[in-house]
């Protein structure tokens, strides 16, 4: 037998009001319509539910036994099918996986983790290493929030631009490029290192050099900014990286930074998430907090 779950709402009203007229008024339907619903409930349950005694109706023993359970089921259904009204951060128990570029994690992963723990102590963060592919983990729900230097190609991946960085040249103290003002020709003649999790030996810098009729020799591709900066410190290799998100690591290592001697496009920074989380209050809170944390890097006082 196929059951109409709308009958639960009618049954709840009938048991709460104790009359067809009262239940009809409560649900804003006509008394004949509620009477028909009672007939269907009686047929489905095999019980009279409400029986007449004089001018009033009283619930049967089975109706009394099921009244609390029916009411709880209806309330739970209303809760499940209603928009989230508020977010209790103190009571929030959730695990979020954040997959950011290693330089961004190094720059503000600590601040994000501390802010999350301070405001929502029951939330746990899983800061994962950035893999070689982007969108599948977001689509499968394995990653809640990711970073990228470009907007996603897939329509179901949402994005938010949170900042723009400029590229700078990082070299060891005493590197030949620190003597005088580096020209595009001297920059191109140096040996270079790229940062690519896919191991690419070419990036947009090569395109910018090509417009000047120049080319460079890339000696190695490093998987992370941390690796690249350490290698630049120990060799004469030149690494060109976003200024803001790598500044703390460069300063800690004692590297010298120089302005890029050619026109290079700014590097945009996006946060990515799957559309399933658009209306998720907890996820909205996380991505807003992440946005606030990342944008603090680009504040004038931090430049």
């Amino acid at each position: 037998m196929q059951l109409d779950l709308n009958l639960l709402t009618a049954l709840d009203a009938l048991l709460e009001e104790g009359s067809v007229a009262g239940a009809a008024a409560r649900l804003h339907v006509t008394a004949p319509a509620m009477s028909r619903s009672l007939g269907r409930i009686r047929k489905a349950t095999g019980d009279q539910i409400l029986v007449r005694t004089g001018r009033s109706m009283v619930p049967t023993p089975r109706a009394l036994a099921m009244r609390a359970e029916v009411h709880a089921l209806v309330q739970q259904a209303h809760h499940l099918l209603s928009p989230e009204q508020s977010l209790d951060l103190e009571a929030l128990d959730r695990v979020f996986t954040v997959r950011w570029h290693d330089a961004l994690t190094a720059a503000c992963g600590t601040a994000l983790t501390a802010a999350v723990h301070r405001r929502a102590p029951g939330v746990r963060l899983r800061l994962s290493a950035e893999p070689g592919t982007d969108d599948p983990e977001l689509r499968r729900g394995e990653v809640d929030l990711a970073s990228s230097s470009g907007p996603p190609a897939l329509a179901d991946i949402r994005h938010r631009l949170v900042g723009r960085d400029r590229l700078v040249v990082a070299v060891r103290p005493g590197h030949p490029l620190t003597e005088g003002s580096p020209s595009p020709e001297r920059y191109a003649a140096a040996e270079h290192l790229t940062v690519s999790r896919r191991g690419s030996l070419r990036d947009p810098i090569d395109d910018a050099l090509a417009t000047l009729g120049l080319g460079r020799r890339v000696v190695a591709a490093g998987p992370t900014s941390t690796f690249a900066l350490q290698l630049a410190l120990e060799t004469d290799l030149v690494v060109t990286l976003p200024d803001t998100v790598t500044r703390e690591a460069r300063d800690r290592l004692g590297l010298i930074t120089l302005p890029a001697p050619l026109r290079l496009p700014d590097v945009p920074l996006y946060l990515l998430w799957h559309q399933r989380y658009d209306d998720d209050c907890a996820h909205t809170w996380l991505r807003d907090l992440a946005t606030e944390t990342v944008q603090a890097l680009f504040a004038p006082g931090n430049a």
Side-chain angles (χ1 to χ4, degrees), residues 32-211:
M34 182 56 67
S35 182
R36 290 193 294 272
S37 294
L38 177 56
R40 294 171 62 196
I41 292 168
R42 285 169 169 168
K43 183 177 180 181
T45 62
D47 188 88
Q48 289 297 300
I49 303 298
L50 292 176
V51 294
R52 184 166 297 282
T53 58
R55 293 186 175 181
S56 63
M57 302 187 79
V58 296
T60 64
R62 185 178 179 192
L64 288 173
M66 71 170 64
R67 180 161 59 187
E69 185 176 1
V70 167
H71 186 69
L73 286 171
V74 170
Q75 292 301 308
Q76 183 179 10
H78 285 167
H79 173 74
L80 289 173
L81 297 176
S82 297
E84 287 185 274
Q85 299 298 319
S86 62
L87 179 65
D88 184 354
L89 291 177
E90 288 291 329
L92 184 60
D93 182 7
R94 188 102 167 241
V95 177
F96 289 109
T97 298
V98 176
R99 191 199 68 204
W100 281 355
H101 188 280
D102 75 289
L104 183 60
T105 300
C108 61
T110 299
L112 177 64
T113 302
V116 167
H117 185 65
R118 183 172 61 253
R119 303 182 193 186
V123 169
R124 290 166 290 167
L125 281 186
R126 186 186 291 122
L127 295 170
S128 72
E130 194 175 25
T133 56
D134 293 323
D135 297 330
E137 287 93 349
L138 289 168
R139 300 185 101 179
R140 292 194 297 264
E142 297 169 6
V143 170
D144 297 288
L145 193 63
S147 70
S148 174
S149 60
L154 302 175
D156 58 338
I157 304 299
R158 304 294 195 231
H159 65 280
R160 174 186 293 174
L161 178 65
V162 293
R164 289 186 178 276
D165 213 345
R166 65 188 181 94
L167 291 169
V168 295
V169 178
V171 294
R172 64 167 179 81
H175 190 283
L177 282 181
T178 63
E179 300 173 4
S181 179
S183 64
E185 290 76 13
R186 290 180 62 208
Y187 171 77
E191 293 184 323
H192 292 258
L193 170 70
T194 61
V195 179
S196 171
R197 63 180 188 264
R198 298 181 179 89
S200 176
L201 294 171
R202 183 180 178 86
D203 62 27
I205 294 172
D206 297 283
D207 298 328
L209 286 170
T211 64

